[in-house]
């Protein structure tokens, strides 16, 4: 009985901290991306919190949803990711490795 009570309190605490949609993160990486996409449509800040919590399995698609959330919430301008991308493009351009595609 006590174990069930502790589990219920833990779920309530997680929902309170992350929000109900964030607490329901699936284990499967492709389902996680679907969840992030759905969440991104109504609450980009929740996607940011969830991704930065480390609970999301790293994938290109999950990263894309995270970047979309940063853009939608106007948080990309001051974010370390933008600086990293800028550094990468500067280094690539200086080496002649940046290609423009149409």
């Amino acid at each position: 009985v006590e174990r069930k009570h502790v589990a219920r309190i833990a779920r309530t605490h997680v929902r309170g901290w992350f929000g109900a949609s964030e607490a329901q993160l699936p284990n499967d990486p492709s389902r996680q991306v679907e969840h992030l996409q759905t969440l991104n449509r109504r609450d980009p800040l929740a996607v940011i919190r969830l991704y930065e919590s480390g609970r999301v399995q790293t994938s290109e698609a999950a990263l894309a949803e995270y970047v979309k959330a940063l853009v939608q919430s106007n948080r990309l301008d001051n974010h370390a990711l933008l600086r990293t991308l800028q550094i990468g493009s500067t280094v690539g351009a200086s080496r002649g490795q940046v290609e423009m595609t149409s």
Side-chain angles (χ1 to χ4, degrees):
V1 174
E2 185 174 312
R3 181 177 273 178
K4 288 181 182 181
H5 180 68
V6 170
R8 185 176 53 79
I9 290 172
R11 281 193 306 273
T12 303
H13 178 69
V14 168
R15 284 189 189 114
W17 177 257
F18 291 111
S21 295
E22 295 170 71
Q24 299 167 357
L25 184 68
N27 291 328
D28 178 54
S30 62
R31 301 278 317 249
Q32 285 184 354
V33 171
E34 291 173 8
H35 184 73
L36 292 175
Q37 290 169 340
T38 301
L39 194 55
N40 223 349
R41 286 192 276 279
R42 54 172 205 263
D43 190 2
L45 292 176
V47 172
I48 294 168
R49 286 190 304 270
L50 191 57
Y51 191 87
E52 291 179 352
S53 76
R55 294 177 57 220
V56 176
Q57 294 184 25
T58 304
S59 70
E60 191 174 316
L63 178 61
E65 289 304 314
Y66 174 62
V67 172
K68 285 179 196 176
L70 289 170
V71 170
Q72 289 175 15
S73 62
N74 293 322
R75 291 187 58 191
L76 186 59
D77 288 339
N78 296 321
H79 200 274
L81 178 63
L82 179 61
R83 290 189 295 277
T84 302
L85 293 172
Q86 289 169 333
I87 290 168
S89 66
T90 303
V91 170
S94 69
R95 293 182 182 167
Q97 296 175 350
V98 175
E99 296 180 19
M100 298 300 286
T101 59
S102 53

